[in-house]
């Protein structure tokens, strides 16, 4: 077999061309993998099925902020979209988890779904408060926009000692956000906590979302503001610079007295460094929910019902359990297109 000679003007002499991935595909592949651990980064879609009142629409947007940065914050839905459309789009985008809000019979439901084959955990929302409600109830609400650049830390409480389905539910909650390595994680990226606490007596799960606030011990409030803002303070009403630091009411450390004091393993910012102790405070930023598990399905919003399990009187077979079907789930797309969903 004769091969063409290579040369600067001979295009055929460059050898066989291998199919190279486009820059967009390379970026997508890189975005789906954690550069430190090499594991696949879980991503999510938060959307609704059926008509929702305005308060639940706001709750949907709050849940999208909780799942940032690996979710579609401005995902647009249309009435023609059914569950199959979301599944078709999820594969190419690397989306692994769905959070689906619905309001059957005026009872808010939230489904945690593993795409593309399930399982599906259906919760009935018994009580909820929006992020705006939480902020209005606080004297000094604070929610810096920069804290959503990194995923929250998922903290589970009260789930130990229980069998199925809570054992598999714990695995779902643990893998719906990227895992961290305590030995290599940067403390500056740990700015939010998602707390899921199971109340055994009431058989409900409390959903809480917090902002982690670090405060150096032994530093007055005015000095903290001076170092954080990098601005020249207003000294017009003071006789001496020392009055700015020692003025009554501004050198108190009462805010850090009740907080847990820790020694940081590494520097976080200009104020919180490994050489000094810092007080850790949690400030709730919402949303807040109280959820009750009502149904677990083996598939994606379908399949065998794993919870609750009961035996029918006549057939002697396991029943289908409780819970409402997702509106439009069984309907097939009219044209098989997934272009109806957009993201700004």
């Amino acid at each position: 077999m004769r091969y063409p000679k290579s040369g600067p003007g001979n295009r055929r002499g460059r050898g066989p061309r291998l199919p190279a991935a486009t820059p967009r595909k390379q970026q997508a592949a890189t975005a789906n993998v954690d550069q430190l651990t090499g594991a696949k980064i879980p991503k999510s879609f938060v959307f609704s099925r059926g008509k929702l009142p305005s308060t639940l629409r706001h709750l949907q947007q709050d849940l999208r902020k909780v799942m940032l940065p690996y979710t579609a914050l401005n995902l647009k839905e249309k009435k023609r979209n059914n569950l199959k459309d979301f599944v078709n789009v999820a594969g190419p985008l690397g989306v692994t988890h769905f959070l689906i809000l619905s309001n059957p019979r005026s009872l808010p439901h939230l489904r945690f779904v593993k795409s593309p084959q399930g399982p599906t955990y259906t919760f009935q929302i018994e009580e909820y408060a929006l992020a705006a409600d939480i902020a209005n109830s606080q004297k000094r609400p604070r929610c810096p926009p920069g804290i959503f650049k990194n995923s929250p830390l998922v903290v589970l409480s009260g789930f130990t000692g229980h069998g199925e389905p809570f054992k598999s539910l714990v695995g779902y909650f643990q893998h719906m956000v990227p895992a961290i390595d305590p030995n290599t994680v940067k403390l500056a990226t740990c700015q939010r906590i998602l707390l899921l606490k199971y109340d055994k007596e009431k058989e409900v799960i409390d959903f809480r979302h917090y902002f982690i606030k670090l405060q150096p011990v032994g530093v007055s409030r005015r000095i903290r503001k001076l170092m954080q803002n990098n601005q020249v303070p207003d000294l017009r009403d003071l006789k001496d610079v020392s009055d700015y630091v020692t003025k009554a009411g501004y050198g108190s450390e009462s805010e850090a007295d009740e907080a847990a004091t820790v020694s940081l393993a590494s520097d976080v910012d200009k104020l919180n460094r490994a050489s000094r102790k810092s007080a850790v405070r949690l400030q709730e930023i919402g949303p807040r929910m109280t959820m009750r598990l009502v149904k677990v399905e083996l598939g994606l919003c379908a399949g065998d019902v794993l919870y609750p399990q009961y035996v029918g009187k006549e057939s002697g077979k396991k029943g289908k359990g409780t819970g409402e079907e997702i509106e439009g789930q069984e309907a097939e797309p009219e044209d098989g297109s997934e272009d109806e969903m957009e993201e700004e």
Side-chain angles (χ1 to χ4, degrees):
M1 181 180 295
R2 297 180 62 183
Y3 294 92
K5 296 181 179 180
S6 60
N10 188 356
R11 188 176 184 86
R12 296 174 57 187
R14 297 178 183 176
R17 287 188 175 182
L18 298 177
T22 62
R24 179 177 294 182
K25 290 183 178 180
Q26 291 178 348
Q27 293 177 0
T30 304
N32 292 337
V33 178
D34 192 333
Q35 299 302 313
L36 295 178
T37 62
K40 185 178 181 180
I41 296 177
K43 298 182 179 181
S44 63
F45 274 163
V46 182
F47 57 94
S48 62
R49 307 307 298 149
K51 295 182 180 180
L52 295 182
S54 59
T55 54
L56 287 181
R57 287 291 180 184
H58 289 297
L59 178 61
Q60 173 182 279
Q61 197 65 16
D62 289 344
L63 289 174
R64 288 178 178 178
K65 289 185 177 181
V66 172
M67 301 304 294
L68 283 175
Y70 300 109
T71 192
L73 182 61
N74 298 315
L75 181 68
K76 293 183 178 180
E77 312 163 48
K78 294 188 178 181
K79 294 181 179 180
R80 291 181 57 188
N81 297 136
N82 53 41
L83 189 59
K84 187 176 180 180
D85 294 334
F86 290 95
V87 175
N88 293 338
V89 174
L93 297 179
V95 175
T96 57
H97 295 75
F98 292 162
L99 275 70
I100 308 175
L101 270 172
S102 59
N103 195 39
R105 301 178 184 176
S106 300
L107 294 174
H109 280 66
L110 177 61
R111 287 172 170 85
F112 293 86
V113 185
K114 182 68 171 66
S115 177
Q117 297 179 351
T120 301
Y121 303 91
T122 302
F123 290 88
Q124 179 176 311
I125 303 177
E126 298 191 346
E127 296 178 352
Y128 69 93
L130 304 177
D133 299 331
I134 301 296
N136 293 334
S137 65
Q138 296 174 346
K139 184 177 181 181
R140 294 178 180 177
R142 187 188 179 194
C143 184
I147 64 177
F148 296 101
K149 294 181 180 180
N150 299 284
S151 299
L153 305 177
V154 176
V155 178
L156 304 177
S157 175
F159 289 93
T160 57
H162 302 284
E164 294 294 348
F166 295 99
K167 186 176 180 180
S168 60
L169 183 61
V170 167
Y172 180 94
F173 288 146
Q174 290 176 338
H175 293 90
M176 70 178 183
V177 297
I180 63 170
D181 185 358
N183 298 322
T184 59
V185 65
K186 295 182 179 179
L187 295 181
T189 63
C190 303
Q191 297 181 296
R192 292 186 293 141
I193 284 182
L194 174 58
L195 174 63
L196 297 165
K197 182 180 179 181
Y198 178 66
D199 190 332
K200 183 178 179 181
E201 297 181 357
K202 299 180 180 179
E203 296 183 346
V204 295
I205 295 178
D206 293 325
F207 181 105
R208 300 290 187 271
H209 187 211
Y210 297 97
F211 160 56
I212 304 176
K213 182 179 179 182
L214 291 177
Q215 183 175 305
V217 177
V219 180
S220 65
R221 185 185 304 172
R222 285 200 163 187
I223 294 299
R224 294 200 304 268
K225 290 185 177 181
L226 179 62
M227 297 181 66
Q228 290 174 347
N229 299 332
N230 294 325
Q231 296 179 354
V232 178
D234 187 2
L235 306 177
R236 289 178 296 179
D237 299 333
L238 304 178
K239 296 181 179 180
D240 192 82
V241 179
S242 60
D243 295 340
Y244 179 82
V245 180
T246 60
K247 187 176 181 180
Y250 291 92
S252 175
E253 301 174 11
S254 58
E255 292 185 3
D257 290 341
E258 299 179 358
T261 303
V262 297
S263 298
L264 301 178
S266 60
D267 297 342
V268 176
D269 50 33
K270 296 180 179 179
L271 290 174
N272 299 279
R273 297 184 174 275
S275 58
R276 61 170 67 104
K277 291 186 177 181
S278 297
V280 181
R281 301 178 66 91
L282 298 180
Q283 182 165 354
E284 188 173 6
I285 56 179
R288 178 193 302 176
M289 294 186 296
T290 301
M291 311 180 300
R292 184 182 302 275
L293 182 64
V294 295
K295 190 176 183 181
V296 179
E297 297 166 286
L298 183 61
L300 194 145
C301 299
D304 296 338
V305 176
L306 306 180
Y307 177 88
Q309 294 180 350
Y310 67 92
V311 179
K313 295 182 179 179
E314 298 180 358
S315 62
K317 297 181 180 180
K318 294 180 180 179
K320 295 183 179 180
T322 60
E324 300 292 336
E325 297 298 329
I326 295 182
E327 180 178 346
Q329 174 185 333
E330 296 81 4
E332 295 292 334
E334 297 181 6
D335 53 1
S337 172
E338 53 255 11
D339 297 334
E340 299 296 333
M341 287 175 289
E342 302 174 359
E343 181 184 357
E344 294 179 344

